[in-house]
mmCIF file of all heavy atoms in Angstrom:
data_model
loop_
_atom_site.group_PDB
_atom_site.id
_atom_site.type_symbol
_atom_site.label_atom_id
_atom_site.label_comp_id
_atom_site.label_asym_id
_atom_site.label_seq_id
_atom_site.Cartn_x
_atom_site.Cartn_y
_atom_site.Cartn_z
ATOM 1 N N THR A 1 -52.316 -4.067 -73.795
ATOM 2 C CA THR A 1 -52.228 -4.779 -75.037
ATOM 3 C C THR A 1 -52.320 -3.887 -76.274
ATOM 4 O O THR A 1 -52.199 -4.329 -77.417
ATOM 5 C CB THR A 1 -53.389 -5.822 -75.100
ATOM 6 O OG1 THR A 1 -54.644 -5.150 -74.798
ATOM 7 C CG2 THR A 1 -53.208 -6.921 -74.048
ATOM 8 N N ARG A 2 -52.554 -2.571 -76.076
ATOM 9 C CA ARG A 2 -52.553 -1.665 -77.205
ATOM 10 C C ARG A 2 -51.140 -1.474 -77.721
ATOM 11 O O ARG A 2 -50.862 -1.056 -78.814
ATOM 12 C CB ARG A 2 -53.106 -0.311 -76.815
ATOM 13 C CG ARG A 2 -54.622 -0.340 -76.528
ATOM 14 C CD ARG A 2 -55.097 0.982 -75.977
ATOM 15 N NE ARG A 2 -54.442 1.306 -74.733
ATOM 16 C CZ ARG A 2 -54.587 2.469 -74.078
ATOM 17 N NH1 ARG A 2 -55.399 3.397 -74.603
ATOM 18 N NH2 ARG A 2 -54.020 2.671 -72.942
ATOM 19 N N PHE A 3 -50.154 -1.791 -76.832
ATOM 20 C CA PHE A 3 -48.752 -1.685 -77.179
ATOM 21 C C PHE A 3 -48.344 -3.047 -77.823
ATOM 22 O O PHE A 3 -48.968 -4.068 -77.540
ATOM 23 C CB PHE A 3 -47.841 -1.349 -76.047
ATOM 24 C CG PHE A 3 -48.015 0.081 -75.561
ATOM 25 C CD1 PHE A 3 -49.093 0.423 -74.747
ATOM 26 C CD2 PHE A 3 -47.151 1.080 -75.971
ATOM 27 C CE1 PHE A 3 -49.294 1.703 -74.312
ATOM 28 C CE2 PHE A 3 -47.356 2.400 -75.557
ATOM 29 C CZ PHE A 3 -48.419 2.711 -74.715
ATOM 30 N N THR A 4 -47.289 -3.076 -78.653
ATOM 31 C CA THR A 4 -46.992 -4.235 -79.359
ATOM 32 C C THR A 4 -45.646 -4.843 -78.980
ATOM 33 O O THR A 4 -44.948 -5.475 -79.762
ATOM 34 C CB THR A 4 -47.017 -4.013 -80.886
ATOM 35 O OG1 THR A 4 -46.223 -2.853 -81.214
ATOM 36 C CG2 THR A 4 -48.440 -3.810 -81.328
ATOM 37 N N TYR A 5 -45.187 -4.614 -77.737
ATOM 38 C CA TYR A 5 -44.074 -5.343 -77.271
ATOM 39 C C TYR A 5 -44.532 -6.797 -76.934
ATOM 40 O O TYR A 5 -45.554 -6.952 -76.301
ATOM 41 C CB TYR A 5 -43.527 -4.723 -75.942
ATOM 42 C CG TYR A 5 -42.761 -3.423 -76.134
ATOM 43 C CD1 TYR A 5 -43.386 -2.194 -75.985
ATOM 44 C CD2 TYR A 5 -41.427 -3.456 -76.442
ATOM 45 C CE1 TYR A 5 -42.678 -1.030 -76.168
ATOM 46 C CE2 TYR A 5 -40.727 -2.291 -76.586
ATOM 47 C CZ TYR A 5 -41.368 -1.096 -76.499
ATOM 48 O OH TYR A 5 -40.680 0.080 -76.626
ATOM 49 N N LEU A 6 -43.770 -7.794 -77.433
ATOM 50 C CA LEU A 6 -44.042 -9.158 -77.141
ATOM 51 C C LEU A 6 -43.139 -9.629 -76.040
ATOM 52 O O LEU A 6 -41.897 -9.615 -76.221
ATOM 53 C CB LEU A 6 -43.918 -9.967 -78.430
ATOM 54 C CG LEU A 6 -44.714 -9.580 -79.622
ATOM 55 C CD1 LEU A 6 -44.371 -10.382 -80.824
ATOM 56 C CD2 LEU A 6 -46.204 -9.672 -79.322
ATOM 57 N N ASN A 7 -43.676 -10.108 -74.934
ATOM 58 C CA ASN A 7 -42.904 -10.594 -73.838
ATOM 59 C C ASN A 7 -42.806 -12.082 -73.904
ATOM 60 O O ASN A 7 -43.794 -12.794 -73.669
ATOM 61 C CB ASN A 7 -43.509 -10.113 -72.483
ATOM 62 C CG ASN A 7 -43.708 -8.605 -72.478
ATOM 63 O OD1 ASN A 7 -42.780 -7.856 -72.751
ATOM 64 N ND2 ASN A 7 -44.918 -8.158 -72.225
ATOM 65 N N LEU A 8 -41.626 -12.634 -74.241
ATOM 66 C CA LEU A 8 -41.497 -13.984 -74.632
ATOM 67 C C LEU A 8 -40.426 -14.723 -73.789
ATOM 68 O O LEU A 8 -39.362 -14.172 -73.532
ATOM 69 C CB LEU A 8 -41.089 -14.141 -76.116
ATOM 70 C CG LEU A 8 -41.950 -13.386 -77.150
ATOM 71 C CD1 LEU A 8 -41.361 -13.556 -78.490
ATOM 72 C CD2 LEU A 8 -43.391 -13.967 -77.114
ATOM 73 N N ALA A 9 -40.737 -15.967 -73.437
ATOM 74 C CA ALA A 9 -39.718 -16.905 -72.899
ATOM 75 C C ALA A 9 -39.476 -17.904 -74.053
ATOM 76 O O ALA A 9 -40.301 -18.721 -74.392
ATOM 77 C CB ALA A 9 -40.263 -17.587 -71.691
ATOM 78 N N VAL A 10 -38.270 -17.805 -74.602
ATOM 79 C CA VAL A 10 -37.945 -18.585 -75.852
ATOM 80 C C VAL A 10 -37.193 -19.848 -75.462
ATOM 81 O O VAL A 10 -36.168 -19.773 -74.741
ATOM 82 C CB VAL A 10 -37.088 -17.719 -76.789
ATOM 83 C CG1 VAL A 10 -36.784 -18.507 -78.077
ATOM 84 C CG2 VAL A 10 -37.862 -16.421 -77.184
ATOM 85 N N LEU A 11 -37.702 -20.934 -75.932
ATOM 86 C CA LEU A 11 -37.137 -22.283 -75.612
ATOM 87 C C LEU A 11 -35.779 -22.406 -76.312
ATOM 88 O O LEU A 11 -35.649 -22.074 -77.470
ATOM 89 C CB LEU A 11 -38.066 -23.366 -76.062
ATOM 90 C CG LEU A 11 -37.654 -24.806 -75.708
ATOM 91 C CD1 LEU A 11 -37.488 -24.965 -74.190
ATOM 92 C CD2 LEU A 11 -38.674 -25.825 -76.285
ATOM 93 N N ASP A 12 -34.734 -22.884 -75.541
ATOM 94 C CA ASP A 12 -33.388 -22.974 -76.038
ATOM 95 C C ASP A 12 -32.826 -24.390 -75.926
ATOM 96 O O ASP A 12 -31.618 -24.543 -75.887
ATOM 97 C CB ASP A 12 -32.509 -21.965 -75.237
ATOM 98 C CG ASP A 12 -31.209 -21.642 -75.916
ATOM 99 O OD1 ASP A 12 -31.183 -21.692 -77.178
ATOM 100 O OD2 ASP A 12 -30.208 -21.451 -75.259
ATOM 101 N N ALA A 13 -33.705 -25.337 -75.799
ATOM 102 C CA ALA A 13 -33.232 -26.753 -75.609
ATOM 103 C C ALA A 13 -34.262 -27.725 -76.230
ATOM 104 O O ALA A 13 -35.455 -27.420 -76.214
ATOM 105 C CB ALA A 13 -32.995 -27.126 -74.168
ATOM 106 N N GLU A 14 -33.765 -28.816 -76.790
ATOM 107 C CA GLU A 14 -34.673 -29.792 -77.374
ATOM 108 C C GLU A 14 -35.263 -30.761 -76.426
ATOM 109 O O GLU A 14 -34.528 -31.352 -75.604
ATOM 110 C CB GLU A 14 -33.898 -30.556 -78.474
ATOM 111 C CG GLU A 14 -34.716 -31.504 -79.280
ATOM 112 C CD GLU A 14 -34.014 -32.107 -80.434
ATOM 113 O OE1 GLU A 14 -32.819 -31.890 -80.534
ATOM 114 O OE2 GLU A 14 -34.697 -32.840 -81.169
ATOM 115 N N PRO A 15 -36.556 -30.934 -76.360
ATOM 116 C CA PRO A 15 -37.184 -31.853 -75.409
ATOM 117 C C PRO A 15 -37.165 -33.275 -75.946
ATOM 118 O O PRO A 15 -37.102 -33.526 -77.159
ATOM 119 C CB PRO A 15 -38.641 -31.350 -75.322
ATOM 120 C CG PRO A 15 -38.868 -30.730 -76.704
ATOM 121 C CD PRO A 15 -37.558 -30.209 -77.165
ATOM 122 N N ILE A 16 -37.320 -34.216 -74.997
ATOM 123 C CA ILE A 16 -37.424 -35.644 -75.401
ATOM 124 C C ILE A 16 -38.866 -35.957 -75.558
ATOM 125 O O ILE A 16 -39.258 -36.923 -76.229
ATOM 126 C CB ILE A 16 -36.750 -36.584 -74.391
ATOM 127 C CG1 ILE A 16 -37.440 -36.393 -72.992
ATOM 128 C CG2 ILE A 16 -35.290 -36.358 -74.286
ATOM 129 C CD1 ILE A 16 -36.971 -37.496 -71.974
ATOM 130 N N THR A 17 -39.745 -35.185 -74.945
ATOM 131 C CA THR A 17 -41.176 -35.447 -75.031
ATOM 132 C C THR A 17 -41.698 -34.902 -76.394
ATOM 133 O O THR A 17 -41.201 -33.920 -76.938
ATOM 134 C CB THR A 17 -41.919 -34.764 -73.899
ATOM 135 O OG1 THR A 17 -43.289 -35.068 -73.986
ATOM 136 C CG2 THR A 17 -41.751 -33.258 -73.920
ATOM 137 N N SER A 18 -42.773 -35.586 -76.923
ATOM 138 C CA SER A 18 -43.314 -35.113 -78.143
ATOM 139 C C SER A 18 -44.469 -34.165 -77.894
ATOM 140 O O SER A 18 -44.780 -33.333 -78.751
ATOM 141 C CB SER A 18 -43.816 -36.309 -78.988
ATOM 142 O OG SER A 18 -44.774 -37.027 -78.280
ATOM 143 N N ALA A 19 -45.153 -34.281 -76.757
ATOM 144 C CA ALA A 19 -46.283 -33.369 -76.509
ATOM 145 C C ALA A 19 -46.307 -33.043 -75.019
ATOM 146 O O ALA A 19 -46.072 -33.874 -74.125
ATOM 147 C CB ALA A 19 -47.579 -34.108 -76.824
ATOM 148 N N THR A 20 -46.508 -31.750 -74.714
ATOM 149 C CA THR A 20 -46.516 -31.338 -73.331
ATOM 150 C C THR A 20 -47.266 -30.019 -73.219
ATOM 151 O O THR A 20 -47.633 -29.408 -74.214
ATOM 152 C CB THR A 20 -45.120 -31.184 -72.799
ATOM 153 O OG1 THR A 20 -45.123 -31.052 -71.358
ATOM 154 C CG2 THR A 20 -44.354 -29.939 -73.334
ATOM 155 N N GLN A 21 -47.463 -29.570 -72.008
ATOM 156 C CA GLN A 21 -47.909 -28.238 -71.703
ATOM 157 C C GLN A 21 -46.968 -27.613 -70.758
ATOM 158 O O GLN A 21 -46.271 -28.315 -69.955
ATOM 159 C CB GLN A 21 -49.342 -28.297 -71.015
ATOM 160 C CG GLN A 21 -50.489 -28.806 -71.936
ATOM 161 C CD GLN A 21 -51.736 -29.026 -71.169
ATOM 162 O OE1 GLN A 21 -51.956 -30.108 -70.590
ATOM 163 N NE2 GLN A 21 -52.598 -28.026 -71.117
ATOM 164 N N PHE A 22 -46.864 -26.279 -70.814
ATOM 165 C CA PHE A 22 -45.985 -25.569 -69.892
ATOM 166 C C PHE A 22 -46.815 -24.737 -68.882
ATOM 167 O O PHE A 22 -47.895 -24.275 -69.211
ATOM 168 C CB PHE A 22 -45.105 -24.631 -70.700
ATOM 169 C CG PHE A 22 -44.040 -25.333 -71.509
ATOM 170 C CD1 PHE A 22 -44.247 -25.503 -72.887
ATOM 171 C CD2 PHE A 22 -42.917 -25.860 -70.935
ATOM 172 C CE1 PHE A 22 -43.296 -26.155 -73.636
ATOM 173 C CE2 PHE A 22 -41.976 -26.546 -71.701
ATOM 174 C CZ PHE A 22 -42.154 -26.713 -73.081
ATOM 175 N N ILE A 23 -46.207 -24.620 -67.679
ATOM 176 C CA ILE A 23 -46.854 -23.923 -66.600
ATOM 177 C C ILE A 23 -45.894 -22.835 -66.154
ATOM 178 O O ILE A 23 -44.671 -23.053 -66.010
ATOM 179 C CB ILE A 23 -47.170 -24.840 -65.407
ATOM 180 C CG1 ILE A 23 -48.095 -26.017 -65.840
ATOM 181 C CG2 ILE A 23 -47.757 -24.111 -64.251
ATOM 182 C CD1 ILE A 23 -48.089 -27.139 -64.814
ATOM 183 N N LEU A 24 -46.425 -21.636 -65.986
ATOM 184 C CA LEU A 24 -45.667 -20.566 -65.337
ATOM 185 C C LEU A 24 -46.271 -20.190 -64.038
ATOM 186 O O LEU A 24 -47.504 -19.885 -64.006
ATOM 187 C CB LEU A 24 -45.576 -19.323 -66.280
ATOM 188 C CG LEU A 24 -44.834 -18.101 -65.717
ATOM 189 C CD1 LEU A 24 -43.436 -18.397 -65.329
ATOM 190 C CD2 LEU A 24 -44.855 -16.925 -66.713
ATOM 191 N N ARG A 25 -45.541 -20.221 -62.965
ATOM 192 C CA ARG A 25 -46.073 -19.975 -61.649
ATOM 193 C C ARG A 25 -45.261 -18.872 -60.954
ATOM 194 O O ARG A 25 -44.037 -18.969 -60.821
ATOM 195 C CB ARG A 25 -46.086 -21.210 -60.781
ATOM 196 C CG ARG A 25 -46.720 -21.026 -59.390
ATOM 197 C CD ARG A 25 -46.709 -22.344 -58.627
ATOM 198 N NE ARG A 25 -47.446 -23.361 -59.391
ATOM 199 C CZ ARG A 25 -47.000 -24.592 -59.553
ATOM 200 N NH1 ARG A 25 -45.837 -24.982 -59.079
ATOM 201 N NH2 ARG A 25 -47.721 -25.471 -60.254
ATOM 202 N N LEU A 26 -45.913 -17.794 -60.565
ATOM 203 C CA LEU A 26 -45.286 -16.694 -59.797
ATOM 204 C C LEU A 26 -45.806 -16.685 -58.354
ATOM 205 O O LEU A 26 -47.039 -16.761 -58.137
ATOM 206 C CB LEU A 26 -45.609 -15.340 -60.478
ATOM 207 C CG LEU A 26 -45.335 -15.183 -61.941
ATOM 208 C CD1 LEU A 26 -45.740 -13.748 -62.342
ATOM 209 C CD2 LEU A 26 -43.864 -15.440 -62.221
ATOM 210 N N THR A 27 -44.899 -16.508 -57.367
ATOM 211 C CA THR A 27 -45.270 -16.384 -56.020
ATOM 212 C C THR A 27 -44.775 -15.039 -55.495
ATOM 213 O O THR A 27 -43.563 -14.635 -55.720
ATOM 214 C CB THR A 27 -44.635 -17.484 -55.136
ATOM 215 O OG1 THR A 27 -45.022 -18.777 -55.691
ATOM 216 C CG2 THR A 27 -45.103 -17.381 -53.689
ATOM 217 N N PHE A 28 -45.654 -14.317 -54.854
ATOM 218 C CA PHE A 28 -45.345 -12.930 -54.443
ATOM 219 C C PHE A 28 -45.076 -12.856 -52.920
ATOM 220 O O PHE A 28 -45.390 -13.760 -52.158
ATOM 221 C CB PHE A 28 -46.501 -11.997 -54.749
ATOM 222 C CG PHE A 28 -46.847 -11.901 -56.221
ATOM 223 C CD1 PHE A 28 -47.514 -12.875 -56.910
ATOM 224 C CD2 PHE A 28 -46.389 -10.796 -56.914
ATOM 225 C CE1 PHE A 28 -47.724 -12.796 -58.268
ATOM 226 C CE2 PHE A 28 -46.607 -10.693 -58.292
ATOM 227 C CZ PHE A 28 -47.324 -11.672 -58.980
ATOM 228 N N GLU A 29 -44.523 -11.710 -52.494
ATOM 229 C CA GLU A 29 -44.041 -11.554 -51.147
ATOM 230 C C GLU A 29 -45.214 -11.598 -50.144
ATOM 231 O O GLU A 29 -44.956 -11.933 -48.999
ATOM 232 C CB GLU A 29 -43.234 -10.293 -50.943
ATOM 233 C CG GLU A 29 -43.964 -8.982 -51.324
ATOM 234 C CD GLU A 29 -43.077 -7.793 -51.280
ATOM 235 O OE1 GLU A 29 -41.832 -8.000 -51.029
ATOM 236 O OE2 GLU A 29 -43.550 -6.657 -51.557
ATOM 237 N N ASN A 30 -46.438 -11.342 -50.569
ATOM 238 C CA ASN A 30 -47.552 -11.405 -49.644
ATOM 239 C C ASN A 30 -48.274 -12.696 -49.677
ATOM 240 O O ASN A 30 -49.331 -12.915 -49.109
ATOM 241 C CB ASN A 30 -48.567 -10.267 -49.940
ATOM 242 C CG ASN A 30 -49.329 -10.485 -51.276
ATOM 243 O OD1 ASN A 30 -48.964 -11.321 -52.072
ATOM 244 N ND2 ASN A 30 -50.356 -9.681 -51.476
ATOM 245 N N GLY A 31 -47.693 -13.682 -50.385
ATOM 246 C CA GLY A 31 -48.263 -15.031 -50.511
ATOM 247 C C GLY A 31 -49.125 -15.241 -51.729
ATOM 248 O O GLY A 31 -49.568 -16.400 -52.006
ATOM 249 N N GLN A 32 -49.454 -14.176 -52.477
ATOM 250 C CA GLN A 32 -50.227 -14.355 -53.681
ATOM 251 C C GLN A 32 -49.562 -15.221 -54.686
ATOM 252 O O GLN A 32 -48.304 -15.202 -54.802
ATOM 253 C CB GLN A 32 -50.479 -12.952 -54.322
ATOM 254 C CG GLN A 32 -51.229 -12.990 -55.655
ATOM 255 C CD GLN A 32 -51.196 -11.693 -56.391
ATOM 256 O OE1 GLN A 32 -50.474 -10.760 -55.981
ATOM 257 N NE2 GLN A 32 -51.921 -11.565 -57.498
ATOM 258 N N VAL A 33 -50.276 -16.022 -55.395
ATOM 259 C CA VAL A 33 -49.754 -16.907 -56.426
ATOM 260 C C VAL A 33 -50.540 -16.630 -57.728
ATOM 261 O O VAL A 33 -51.756 -16.647 -57.724
ATOM 262 C CB VAL A 33 -49.843 -18.425 -56.050
ATOM 263 C CG1 VAL A 33 -49.377 -19.273 -57.196
ATOM 264 C CG2 VAL A 33 -48.969 -18.676 -54.793
ATOM 265 N N LEU A 34 -49.832 -16.436 -58.805
ATOM 266 C CA LEU A 34 -50.423 -16.388 -60.135
ATOM 267 C C LEU A 34 -49.831 -17.589 -60.934
ATOM 268 O O LEU A 34 -48.641 -17.838 -60.970
ATOM 269 C CB LEU A 34 -50.088 -15.103 -60.861
ATOM 270 C CG LEU A 34 -50.776 -13.867 -60.375
ATOM 271 C CD1 LEU A 34 -50.362 -12.686 -61.261
ATOM 272 C CD2 LEU A 34 -52.291 -13.981 -60.474
ATOM 273 N N SER A 35 -50.709 -18.340 -61.612
ATOM 274 C CA SER A 35 -50.269 -19.511 -62.360
ATOM 275 C C SER A 35 -51.130 -19.664 -63.571
ATOM 276 O O SER A 35 -52.346 -19.333 -63.535
ATOM 277 C CB SER A 35 -50.329 -20.728 -61.488
ATOM 278 O OG SER A 35 -49.857 -21.886 -62.241
ATOM 279 N N ASP A 36 -50.561 -20.062 -64.687
ATOM 280 C CA ASP A 36 -51.295 -20.346 -65.892
ATOM 281 C C ASP A 36 -50.609 -21.465 -66.665
ATOM 282 O O ASP A 36 -49.386 -21.676 -66.465
ATOM 283 C CB ASP A 36 -51.487 -19.127 -66.734
ATOM 284 C CG ASP A 36 -52.578 -19.275 -67.796
ATOM 285 O OD1 ASP A 36 -53.557 -20.021 -67.534
ATOM 286 O OD2 ASP A 36 -52.515 -18.679 -68.881
ATOM 287 N N THR A 37 -51.366 -22.175 -67.446
ATOM 288 C CA THR A 37 -50.895 -23.340 -68.258
ATOM 289 C C THR A 37 -51.171 -23.145 -69.727
ATOM 290 O O THR A 37 -52.293 -22.684 -70.099
ATOM 291 C CB THR A 37 -51.553 -24.625 -67.739
ATOM 292 O OG1 THR A 37 -51.323 -24.741 -66.351
ATOM 293 C CG2 THR A 37 -50.981 -25.825 -68.475
ATOM 294 N N THR A 38 -50.221 -23.375 -70.596
ATOM 295 C CA THR A 38 -50.418 -23.293 -71.992
ATOM 296 C C THR A 38 -51.322 -24.427 -72.474
ATOM 297 O O THR A 38 -51.558 -25.414 -71.788
ATOM 298 C CB THR A 38 -49.116 -23.364 -72.745
ATOM 299 O OG1 THR A 38 -48.561 -24.712 -72.613
ATOM 300 C CG2 THR A 38 -48.115 -22.353 -72.256
ATOM 301 N N GLU A 39 -51.810 -24.302 -73.649
ATOM 302 C CA GLU A 39 -52.407 -25.469 -74.381
ATOM 303 C C GLU A 39 -51.345 -26.470 -74.744
ATOM 304 O O GLU A 39 -50.109 -26.161 -74.649
ATOM 305 C CB GLU A 39 -53.157 -24.943 -75.646
ATOM 306 C CG GLU A 39 -54.315 -24.016 -75.324
ATOM 307 C CD GLU A 39 -54.978 -23.496 -76.630
ATOM 308 O OE1 GLU A 39 -54.303 -23.446 -77.644
ATOM 309 O OE2 GLU A 39 -56.169 -23.135 -76.575
#
């Protein structure tokens, strides 16, 4: 985090929902899963 590259997934489509949260889930070759949810 001392570096200032911003790693972004930029939304490119209009949603029909007015409020939501987004989840990013990664699954690794050894079965490990990393997941987090936005506010």
Side-chain angles (χ1 to χ4, degrees):
T1 55
R2 291 173 299 175
F3 291 81
T4 50
Y5 286 96
L6 302 176
N7 306 307
L8 307 175
V10 179
L11 185 59
D12 197 33
E14 184 173 5
I16 59 171
T17 183
S18 59
T20 194
Q21 294 172 272
F22 290 101
I23 302 165
L24 177 57
R25 183 177 302 134
L26 307 180
T27 304
F28 297 79
E29 59 187 0
N30 70 348
Q32 175 192 8
V33 174
L34 288 180
S35 181
D36 196 30
T37 305
T38 67
E39 297 177 334

